[in-house]
Amino acid sequence: MIRITKNNILCVEPVENDKENTFDIMTTENGFVSYLDQFVIIDEGVTIGEFVKLLGLAEEEIDYIFDASLNCQSLGVYLAELDEPCTHDGALSFVEIVHDVELASDGILSEIKYFQGIGPSPVDGRLTNFSLELLPLNYYKDLPLLLNHNYVVQRTEIVNNVPMHFIELKARKGFTLYEVIYSVLYEISFHGAPAARKAILTDMLEMCQSISADALALPVAASVGKDAEIARIKEELNIAISEENYEKAAKLRDELSEIQRPEGDDRPR
């Protein structure tokens, strides 16, 4: 069994007298490669950012073995993204890996492991799942990573021109280390490198803007680097003003003016 902690990826092997032998797989001769078929548990409180940084300890091997799931990118570009400033607006509560299973009408079972975000619905506040493919990794890096062991096989049929879902099986099923790594890397690299992902989101917003009378702005979650820092300061400024903390607000305005100053502009403010 593999146990993922905040600082290690451990192998836990039972030995005689109900004792366990525990060791860090990243320090073994073959690294994590020999343990990809082992089932995984994750310690409570381990964040997705901590897990990705643990994978960075074997960056070269990850790039080679998971080249396809990384969309031909290097894990290093996402490790760098973790260090970029970004503001989390509370839209997500945690991230999880789930079994996505469906039984086709011809009897063929399709199954994937899906990495997704979970947060309150803007409609009714109930927890719902959200795709992460367009969000930067640093936006949700501090959220806990969970494994959802529910395994539900459902069949979809068209009844009176309406798709209906029928549950065939409910069970519990674990995840191997390979499945955990693959699902995370596949989602964070779905649109390529972080810059490519942001470009796609910007294009989507511009397209929506062209057919909408309402102004659309790039979400804070999609901001990186300087954009993210500006978004953070603006958010803190609004809070300071609402709390009538005008001294702090004045300092934040000065900070915002400085960071928005055009390059080469040395005039005093």
Side-chain angles (χ1 to χ4, degrees):
M1 181 181 66
I2 299 300
R3 175 187 167 202
I4 298 173
T5 73
K6 287 180 171 292
N7 302 306
N8 310 94
I9 301 180
L10 305 173
C11 179
V12 181
E13 296 180 335
V15 293
E16 58 184 14
N17 299 325
D18 295 327
K19 294 183 179 180
E20 294 178 337
N21 179 33
T22 302
F23 55 90
D24 188 343
I25 67 173
M26 306 302 262
T27 61
T28 61
E29 182 178 357
N30 294 322
F32 70 92
V33 178
S34 300
Y35 304 92
L36 289 172
D37 62 344
Q38 298 288 307
F39 283 98
V40 171
I41 62 171
I42 301 177
D43 280 5
E44 183 177 354
V46 174
T47 68
I48 180 60
E50 290 167 338
F51 175 62
V52 173
K53 286 186 176 180
L54 287 174
L55 297 182
L57 299 175
E59 182 179 346
E60 185 175 343
E61 292 85 353
I62 290 288
D63 286 350
Y64 179 76
I65 297 173
F66 293 93
D67 178 64
S69 57
L70 273 168
N71 205 358
C72 299
Q73 303 297 317
S74 170
L75 179 63
V77 300
Y78 304 101
L79 291 171
E81 186 177 42
L82 283 175
D83 295 326
E84 292 279 353
C86 187
T87 301
H88 182 257
D89 53 13
L92 299 177
S93 303
F94 59 91
V95 294
E96 68 174 7
I97 300 172
V98 300
H99 299 285
D100 189 347
V101 190
E102 187 166 340
L103 183 65
S105 58
D106 56 5
I108 297 178
L109 188 70
S110 63
E111 177 182 347
I112 62 173
K113 314 303 176 187
Y114 190 57
F115 176 54
Q116 63 185 15
I118 301 294
S121 166
V123 177
D124 56 19
R126 290 186 292 183
L127 289 181
T128 188
N129 58 298
F130 294 90
S131 173
L132 299 172
E133 65 185 55
L134 285 171
L135 295 178
L137 181 57
N138 54 340
Y139 170 68
Y140 53 87
K141 67 178 181 180
D142 294 325
L143 297 181
L145 173 62
L146 306 181
L147 298 178
N148 187 334
H149 293 98
N150 292 325
Y151 189 87
V152 180
V153 178
Q154 61 180 7
R155 169 175 49 88
T156 303
E157 290 187 6
I158 305 299
V159 180
N160 296 327
N161 295 321
V162 177
M164 302 288 291
H165 301 285
F166 301 91
I167 295 178
E168 299 286 335
L169 172 70
K170 282 187 176 182
R172 301 275 290 174
K173 185 179 180 182
F175 298 85
T176 66
L177 181 59
Y178 179 87
E179 291 169 339
V180 170
I181 297 174
Y182 184 96
S183 61
V184 170
L185 299 184
Y186 183 87
E187 187 71 8
I188 67 176
S189 65
F190 188 84
H191 292 292
R197 180 209 301 131
K198 182 179 179 181
I200 290 173
L201 179 57
T202 301
D203 290 343
M204 290 177 61
L205 289 171
E206 290 177 351
M207 183 171 60
C208 292
Q209 180 68 68
S210 66
I211 59 176
S212 172
D214 299 323
L216 297 174
L218 191 67
V220 171
S223 303
V224 296
K226 185 176 179 180
D227 290 340
E229 185 66 9
I230 290 173
R232 179 192 65 79
I233 296 172
K234 286 183 177 179
E235 183 175 343
E236 291 186 8
L237 177 59
N238 290 334
I239 294 174
I241 293 174
S242 67
E243 295 177 347
E244 298 184 359
N245 189 343
Y246 300 117
E247 181 179 355
K248 182 178 180 180
K251 292 180 179 178
L252 288 168
R253 284 196 187 95
D254 291 342
E255 189 177 346
L256 185 62
S257 296
E258 185 63 30
I259 198 172
Q260 290 179 320
R261 182 201 297 257
E263 291 187 12
D265 184 357
D266 297 325
R267 292 174 297 173
R269 296 292 173 115

